[in-house]
Amino acid sequence: MDASQIKALKEKVQAMLKELEAELHASAGDEAVVTLDTSIGRLSRMDAMQQQQMALELKRRKEQYRLRLENALKRMDQGTYGRCGRCRGLITAERLEIQPDAVLCVRCAAPK
Ligand SMILES: [Zn+2]
């Protein structure tokens, strides 16, 4: 990847991060502890707890993704972006376009 490609991708990643932040912000509270409110029945409480679990899982995944994107931005600033973390080879631009947070090249990421 040359500097202009990285710059374009950086803007894309920053936009993705912004969107993710907004989503995380919007869903804040979804995972709030289900209170032992007696006004809702046992079944609806189970529903609520299940929804809470799903919201938590989704939030966890989004937070992980946010971390990966932030790390990608860091690597861009450090000039190490696009290098495979294992073999130090170059990760192709095509791969980074699809998965900007990729840390391994196709060969290293492939299941052995
Ligand atoms: Zn590699």
Side-chain angles (χ1 to χ4, degrees):
M1 278 214 150
D2 61 35
S4 68
Q5 278 176 309
I6 287 181
K7 190 172 174 283
L9 204 59
K10 188 176 180 177
E11 278 165 18
K12 194 172 141 185
V13 170
Q14 279 168 337
M16 284 161 77
L17 257 177
K18 220 170 147 183
E19 210 171 293
L20 207 57
E21 296 276 359
E23 277 176 33
L24 278 168
H25 189 73
S27 67
D30 281 5
E31 75 285 2
V33 177
V34 176
T35 54
L36 295 172
D37 188 350
T38 47
S39 68
I40 59 169
R42 183 198 283 255
L43 277 177
S44 50
R45 195 158 78 219
M46 278 169 70
D47 267 357
M49 284 167 82
Q50 211 167 22
Q51 274 172 20
Q52 179 192 23
Q53 283 305 312
M54 278 161 57
L56 268 175
E57 174 63 20
L58 194 67
K59 184 174 179 244
R60 204 175 56 82
R61 269 189 239 165
K62 280 181 183 171
E63 278 173 347
Q64 272 178 354
Y65 192 44
R66 176 173 63 179
L67 202 67
R68 290 177 66 104
L69 290 177
E70 280 170 355
N71 283 334
L73 286 178
K74 260 183 231 164
R75 292 196 301 279
M76 286 173 186
D77 288 338
Q78 288 165 351
T80 54
Y81 187 73
R83 286 256 169 214
C84 175
R86 192 172 291 165
C87 71
R88 297 280 138 202
L90 284 176
I91 304 174
T92 61
E94 290 78 19
R95 177 166 166 76
L96 291 169
E97 287 284 347
I98 299 164
Q99 200 190 332
D101 59 327
V103 288
L104 295 176
C105 71
V106 180
R107 237 178 315 160
C108 291
K112 301 269 173 329

